[in-house]
Amino acid sequence: DTEVTQTPKHLVMGMTNKKSLKCEQHMGHRAMYWYKQKAKKPPELMFVYSYEKLSINESVPSRFSPECPNSSLLNLHLHALQPEDSALYLCASSQYVAGANTGELFFGEGSRLTVL
Amino acid sequence: LAKTTQPISMDSYEGQEVNITCSHNNIATNDYITWYQQFPSQGPRFIIQGYKTKVTNEVASLFIPADRKSSTLSLPRVSLSDTAVYYCLVGEGDMRFGAGTRLTVKP
């Protein structure tokens, strides 16, 4: 199984809602990532988890709250978002984080978020 | 962090070989060079990774000169389905994407 599964594929939420994005992998990878991608822009790194601990937070606003309950799961909790937060949210995993070679990043298909 | 520079866009025709160059002047000793392909509304997909000289797999080749300050992704005999954005990443764990190269393959 070389898949990263993201749910939901599409999410529409109001600015006062609380919702969550979910990411799952069963490749035994110890690093997981959240990216945000706006149209015609490259993926923008948000968070990196290494061995279930948050290792990188790219100064992301607190209305985005990541969680890594176990080595296979990664959540992104959303609260009080703004319309400009509408984007494709991508999850990825890799076998390693630090070291001589991170190895290949495996991406999910993304969750398309629209904030009204 | 090794910053990368790629051409913003490239055009090609079906059946041609396409070479996309990435500059990474401040690459560190431990850094690997990795290329990804991304289609609209999909996650990026790994193409190839290398450290030095030449690497080849079933879809592409990666050429890295001795000074490692640049690299070239070579796609042999492209087809319309190779139209995508191609990203060059350099590093060992931060996995930040540069602007990428938008390749358009024409019939």
Side-chain angles (χ1 to χ4, degrees):
Chain A
D1 182 4
T2 58
E3 281 193 348
V4 174
T5 304
Q6 290 188 243
T7 55
K9 292 192 185 314
H10 300 275
L11 177 62
V12 179
M13 60 185 292
M15 289 189 284
T16 58
N17 291 159
K18 286 185 180 181
K19 298 285 185 183
S20 297
L21 304 180
K22 180 180 173 182
C23 175
E24 194 167 1
Q25 57 88 12
H26 296 287
M27 294 177 278
H29 289 174
R30 305 315 301 266
M32 297 187 77
Y33 310 72
W34 279 115
Y35 290 85
K36 172 184 176 181
Q37 187 172 29
K38 305 279 275 185
K40 298 194 183 300
K41 296 291 187 181
E44 181 182 341
L45 184 65
M46 300 175 72
F47 302 104
V48 180
Y49 272 83
S50 175
Y51 294 93
E52 300 159 46
K53 293 191 187 322
L54 183 65
S55 61
I56 294 177
N57 177 342
E58 289 287 272
S59 302
V60 178
S62 60
R63 58 185 183 269
F64 295 91
S65 176
E67 179 196 20
C68 190
N70 59 58
S71 60
S72 300
L73 283 175
L74 186 65
N75 298 320
L76 187 62
H77 302 298
L78 314 170
H79 173 55
L81 295 193
Q82 304 297 312
E84 58 265 30
D85 296 321
S86 298
L88 181 68
Y89 288 84
L90 293 162
C91 174
S93 70
S94 66
Q95 190 171 9
Y96 309 110
V97 176
N101 182 11
T102 301
E104 176 183 347
L105 277 177
F106 290 80
F107 280 85
E109 291 297 298
S111 293
R112 174 75 61 189
L113 173 66
T114 302
V115 182
L116 301 177
Chain B
L1 300 175
K3 180 178 169 59
T4 60
T5 303
Q6 300 175 233
I8 294 174
S9 64
M10 295 180 68
D11 289 341
S12 183
Y13 291 92
E14 283 191 292
Q16 289 189 334
E17 179 184 74
V18 171
N19 295 310
I20 305 174
T21 297
C22 179
S23 295
H24 28 81
N25 290 320
N26 58 340
I27 188 170
T29 303
N30 290 338
D31 287 345
Y32 276 68
I33 300 155
T34 313
W35 286 81
Y36 290 84
Q37 175 193 56
Q38 187 179 28
F39 299 113
S41 297
Q42 293 186 23
R45 186 183 69 160
F46 173 89
I47 301 174
I48 198 166
Q49 184 180 69
Y51 183 80
K52 63 180 179 180
T53 62
K54 177 184 174 182
V55 180
T56 297
N57 62 22
E58 63 275 9
V59 298
S61 294
L62 179 60
F63 298 92
I64 306 168
D67 66 5
R68 303 201 328 121
K69 293 185 184 300
S70 66
S71 58
T72 299
L73 174 72
S74 180
L75 304 172
R77 298 179 298 281
V78 294
S79 65
L80 296 176
S81 63
D82 293 315
T83 293
V85 180
Y86 292 82
Y87 296 100
C88 161
L89 272 68
V90 174
E92 55 159 350
D94 49 48
M95 293 306 189
R96 294 179 178 88
F97 284 73
T101 298
R102 188 172 300 274
L103 173 66
T104 302
V105 180
K106 303 175 182 178

